[in-house]
CSV table of all heavy atoms in Angstrom, one decimal:
chain,number,residue,atom,x,y,z
A,70,ILE,N,0.1,1.4,-11.4
A,70,ILE,CA,-0.2,2.9,-11.5
A,70,ILE,C,-1.5,3.4,-10.9
A,70,ILE,O,-1.5,4.3,-10.2
A,70,ILE,CB,-0.1,3.3,-13.0
A,70,ILE,CG1,1.4,3.1,-13.5
A,70,ILE,CG2,-0.5,4.8,-13.2
A,70,ILE,CD1,1.5,3.3,-15.0
A,71,LEU,N,-2.5,2.6,-11.1
A,71,LEU,CA,-3.8,3.0,-10.5
A,71,LEU,C,-3.8,3.0,-9.0
A,71,LEU,O,-4.4,3.9,-8.4
A,71,LEU,CB,-4.9,2.1,-11.0
A,71,LEU,CG,-5.5,2.2,-12.4
A,71,LEU,CD1,-6.4,1.0,-12.8
A,71,LEU,CD2,-6.2,3.5,-12.7
A,72,ALA,N,-3.3,1.9,-8.5
A,72,ALA,CA,-3.2,1.9,-7.0
A,72,ALA,C,-2.3,3.0,-6.5
A,72,ALA,O,-2.6,3.7,-5.4
A,72,ALA,CB,-2.6,0.6,-6.5
A,73,ALA,N,-1.2,3.4,-7.1
A,73,ALA,CA,-0.3,4.4,-6.8
A,73,ALA,C,-1.0,5.9,-6.8
A,73,ALA,O,-0.8,6.6,-6.0
A,73,ALA,CB,0.9,4.5,-7.5
A,74,MET,N,-1.8,6.0,-7.9
A,74,MET,CA,-2.5,7.2,-8.1
A,74,MET,C,-3.6,7.5,-7.0
A,74,MET,O,-3.8,8.5,-6.5
A,74,MET,CB,-3.3,7.3,-9.4
A,74,MET,CG,-2.3,7.4,-10.6
A,74,MET,SD,-3.1,7.5,-12.1
A,74,MET,CE,-4.1,9.0,-12.0
A,75,ALA,N,-4.2,6.4,-6.6
A,75,ALA,CA,-5.2,6.4,-5.5
A,75,ALA,C,-4.5,6.8,-4.2
A,75,ALA,O,-4.9,7.6,-3.4
A,75,ALA,CB,-5.9,5.0,-5.3
A,76,GLY,N,-3.3,6.2,-3.9
A,76,GLY,CA,-2.6,6.4,-2.7
A,76,GLY,C,-2.1,7.8,-2.7
A,76,GLY,O,-2.1,8.5,-1.7
A,77,ALA,N,-1.6,8.3,-3.8
A,77,ALA,CA,-1.2,9.7,-4.0
A,77,ALA,C,-2.2,10.7,-3.8
A,77,ALA,O,-2.0,11.8,-3.1
A,77,ALA,CB,-0.6,9.9,-5.4
A,78,ALA,N,-3.4,10.4,-4.2
A,78,ALA,CA,-4.5,11.3,-3.9
A,78,ALA,C,-4.9,11.4,-2.4
A,78,ALA,O,-5.1,12.4,-1.9
A,78,ALA,CB,-5.8,10.7,-4.6
A,79,VAL,N,-4.8,10.2,-1.7
A,79,VAL,CA,-5.0,10.2,-0.3
A,79,VAL,C,-3.9,11.1,0.4
A,79,VAL,O,-4.2,11.9,1.4
A,79,VAL,CB,-5.0,8.8,0.3
A,79,VAL,CG1,-5.4,8.8,1.9
A,79,VAL,CG2,-6.3,8.0,-0.3
A,80,ALA,N,-2.6,10.8,0.0
A,80,ALA,CA,-1.5,11.5,0.6
A,80,ALA,C,-1.6,13.0,0.4
A,80,ALA,O,-1.3,13.9,1.2
A,80,ALA,CB,-0.2,10.9,-0.1
A,81,MET,N,-2.0,13.4,-0.9
A,81,MET,CA,-2.1,14.8,-1.2
A,81,MET,C,-3.2,15.5,-0.4
A,81,MET,O,-3.1,16.6,0.2
A,81,MET,CB,-2.4,15.0,-2.8
A,81,MET,CG,-2.6,16.4,-3.0
A,81,MET,SD,-1.3,17.5,-2.6
A,81,MET,CE,0.1,17.0,-3.5
A,82,ARG,N,-4.4,14.8,-0.3
A,82,ARG,CA,-5.5,15.2,0.6
A,82,ARG,C,-4.9,15.5,2.1
A,82,ARG,O,-5.3,16.5,2.7
A,82,ARG,CB,-6.6,14.2,0.7
A,82,ARG,CG,-7.7,14.5,1.5
A,82,ARG,CD,-8.4,15.9,1.2
A,82,ARG,NE,-9.4,16.1,2.2
A,82,ARG,CZ,-10.1,17.3,2.2
A,82,ARG,NH1,-9.9,18.2,1.2
A,82,ARG,NH2,-11.1,17.5,3.1
A,83,GLN,N,-4.3,14.5,2.6
A,83,GLN,CA,-3.7,14.7,4.0
A,83,GLN,C,-2.8,15.8,4.0
A,83,GLN,O,-2.8,16.6,5.0
A,83,GLN,CB,-3.1,13.4,4.6
A,83,GLN,CG,-2.9,13.4,6.1
A,83,GLN,CD,-2.6,12.1,6.7
A,83,GLN,OE1,-2.4,11.2,6.0
A,83,GLN,NE2,-2.7,12.1,7.9
A,84,THR,N,-1.9,15.9,3.0
A,84,THR,CA,-0.9,17.1,3.1
A,84,THR,C,-1.7,18.5,3.2
A,84,THR,O,-1.4,19.3,3.9
A,84,THR,CB,0.0,17.0,1.8
A,84,THR,OG1,0.7,15.8,1.9
A,84,THR,CG2,1.0,18.1,1.8
A,85,LEU,N,-2.7,18.6,2.2
A,85,LEU,CA,-3.5,19.8,2.1
A,85,LEU,C,-4.2,20.1,3.5
A,85,LEU,O,-4.5,21.2,3.8
A,85,LEU,CB,-4.4,19.7,0.9
A,85,LEU,CG,-3.7,19.7,-0.4
A,85,LEU,CD1,-4.7,19.5,-1.5
A,85,LEU,CD2,-2.9,21.0,-0.5
A,86,LEU,N,-4.7,19.0,4.2
A,86,LEU,CA,-5.4,19.1,5.4
A,86,LEU,C,-4.6,19.9,6.5
A,86,LEU,O,-5.2,20.5,7.3
A,86,LEU,CB,-5.9,17.8,6.0
A,86,LEU,CG,-7.2,17.3,5.3
A,86,LEU,CD1,-7.4,15.8,5.7
A,86,LEU,CD2,-8.5,18.1,5.5
A,87,HIS,N,-3.2,19.6,6.2
A,87,HIS,CA,-2.4,20.3,7.4
A,87,HIS,C,-1.5,21.4,6.8
A,87,HIS,O,-0.5,21.8,7.4
A,87,HIS,CB,-1.6,19.0,8.0
A,87,HIS,CG,-2.4,18.1,8.6
A,87,HIS,ND1,-2.9,18.3,9.9
A,87,HIS,CD2,-2.7,16.8,8.3
A,87,HIS,CE1,-3.6,17.2,10.2
A,87,HIS,NE2,-3.5,16.3,9.3
A,88,ILE,N,-1.9,22.0,5.6
A,88,ILE,CA,-0.9,22.8,5.0
A,88,ILE,C,-1.0,24.3,5.5
A,88,ILE,O,-0.2,25.1,5.2
A,88,ILE,CB,-1.2,22.8,3.5
A,88,ILE,CG1,0.2,23.2,2.8
A,88,ILE,CG2,-2.2,23.7,3.0
A,88,ILE,CD1,0.2,22.7,1.3
A,89,ALA,N,-2.1,24.7,6.3
A,89,ALA,CA,-2.3,25.9,6.7
A,89,ALA,C,-1.2,26.3,7.7
A,89,ALA,O,-0.7,25.6,8.5
A,89,ALA,CB,-3.8,26.0,7.4
A,90,PRO,N,-0.9,27.7,7.7
A,90,PRO,CA,0.2,28.1,8.6
A,90,PRO,C,-0.1,27.9,10.1
A,90,PRO,O,-1.2,28.1,10.5
A,90,PRO,CB,0.3,29.5,8.3
A,90,PRO,CG,-0.3,29.7,6.9
A,90,PRO,CD,-1.3,28.7,6.8
A,91,GLY,N,0.8,27.4,10.8
A,91,GLY,CA,0.4,27.2,12.2
A,91,GLY,C,0.0,25.8,12.5
A,91,GLY,O,0.1,25.4,13.7
A,92,ASP,N,-0.3,24.9,11.5
A,92,ASP,CA,-0.8,23.6,11.7
A,92,ASP,C,0.6,22.9,11.9
A,92,ASP,O,1.4,22.7,11.2
A,92,ASP,CB,-1.4,23.2,10.5
A,92,ASP,CG,-2.2,21.8,10.7
A,92,ASP,OD1,-1.6,20.9,11.1
A,92,ASP,OD2,-3.4,21.8,10.4
A,93,ALA,N,0.4,22.0,13.1
A,93,ALA,CA,1.6,21.1,13.5
A,93,ALA,C,1.7,19.9,12.6
A,93,ALA,O,2.8,19.2,12.7
A,93,ALA,CB,1.4,20.8,15.0
A,94,GLY,N,0.6,19.6,11.9
A,94,GLY,CA,0.6,18.4,11.1
A,94,GLY,C,0.4,17.2,11.9
A,94,GLY,O,0.2,17.3,13.1
A,95,PHE,N,0.3,16.0,11.4
A,95,PHE,CA,0.0,14.7,11.9
A,95,PHE,C,1.2,14.0,12.2
A,95,PHE,O,1.8,13.6,11.1
A,95,PHE,CB,-1.2,14.0,11.3
A,95,PHE,CG,-1.7,12.9,12.0
A,95,PHE,CD1,-2.7,13.0,13.0
A,95,PHE,CD2,-1.1,11.5,11.8
A,95,PHE,CE1,-3.2,12.0,13.7
A,95,PHE,CE2,-1.6,10.5,12.6
A,95,PHE,CZ,-2.7,10.6,13.4
A,96,GLY,N,1.6,13.5,13.3
A,96,GLY,CA,2.7,12.8,13.5
A,96,GLY,C,4.0,13.6,13.4
A,96,GLY,O,4.0,14.7,13.2
A,97,ALA,N,5.1,12.8,13.7
A,97,ALA,CA,6.4,13.4,13.6
A,97,ALA,C,6.9,13.6,12.3
A,97,ALA,O,6.5,12.9,11.4
A,97,ALA,CB,7.5,12.5,14.3
A,98,ALA,N,7.8,14.5,12.0
A,98,ALA,CA,8.4,14.8,10.7
A,98,ALA,C,9.6,14.1,10.6
A,98,ALA,O,10.5,13.9,11.7
A,98,ALA,CB,8.6,16.3,10.4
A,99,ILE,N,10.0,13.6,9.4
A,99,ILE,CA,11.3,13.1,9.2
A,99,ILE,C,12.0,13.8,8.1
A,99,ILE,O,11.4,14.0,7.0
A,99,ILE,CB,11.1,11.6,8.7
A,99,ILE,CG1,10.5,10.8,9.8
A,99,ILE,CG2,12.4,10.9,8.3
A,99,ILE,CD1,10.1,9.3,9.4
A,100,LEU,N,13.1,14.4,8.4
A,100,LEU,CA,13.9,15.2,7.5
A,100,LEU,C,13.0,16.3,6.9
A,100,LEU,O,13.1,16.7,5.8
A,100,LEU,CB,14.4,14.3,6.2
A,100,LEU,CG,15.5,13.3,6.5
A,100,LEU,CD1,15.8,12.5,5.2
A,100,LEU,CD2,16.6,13.9,7.2
A,101,GLY,N,12.2,16.8,7.9
A,101,GLY,CA,11.5,18.1,7.6
A,101,GLY,C,10.1,17.8,7.0
A,101,GLY,O,9.3,18.8,6.8
A,102,LEU,N,9.8,16.5,6.6
A,102,LEU,CA,8.5,16.3,5.8
A,102,LEU,C,7.7,15.2,6.8
A,102,LEU,O,8.4,14.3,7.2
A,102,LEU,CB,8.7,15.8,4.5
A,102,LEU,CG,9.3,16.7,3.5
A,102,LEU,CD1,9.6,16.0,2.1
A,102,LEU,CD2,8.5,18.0,3.2
A,103,HIS,N,6.5,15.3,6.8
A,103,HIS,CA,5.6,14.4,7.5
A,103,HIS,C,5.5,13.2,6.6
A,103,HIS,O,5.8,13.2,5.5
A,103,HIS,CB,4.3,15.0,7.8
A,103,HIS,CG,4.3,15.9,8.9
A,103,HIS,ND1,4.3,15.6,10.2
A,103,HIS,CD2,4.3,17.2,8.8
A,103,HIS,CE1,4.3,16.7,11.0
A,103,HIS,NE2,4.3,17.7,10.0
A,104,LEU,N,5.1,12.0,7.3
A,104,LEU,CA,5.1,10.7,6.5
A,104,LEU,C,4.1,10.8,5.3
A,104,LEU,O,4.3,10.1,4.3
A,104,LEU,CB,4.7,9.6,7.4
A,104,LEU,CG,5.7,9.2,8.4
A,104,LEU,CD1,5.2,8.0,9.3
A,104,LEU,CD2,7.1,9.0,7.8
Side-chain angles (χ1 to χ4, degrees):
Chain A
I70 290 171
L71 283 174
M74 286 180 67
V79 180
M81 176 53 68
R82 173 62 184 176
Q83 190 166 14
T84 301
L85 292 175
L86 281 172
H87 296 288
I88 208 166
D92 192 306
F95 187 89
I99 297 175
L100 298 177
L102 297 178
H103 288 278
L104 290 184

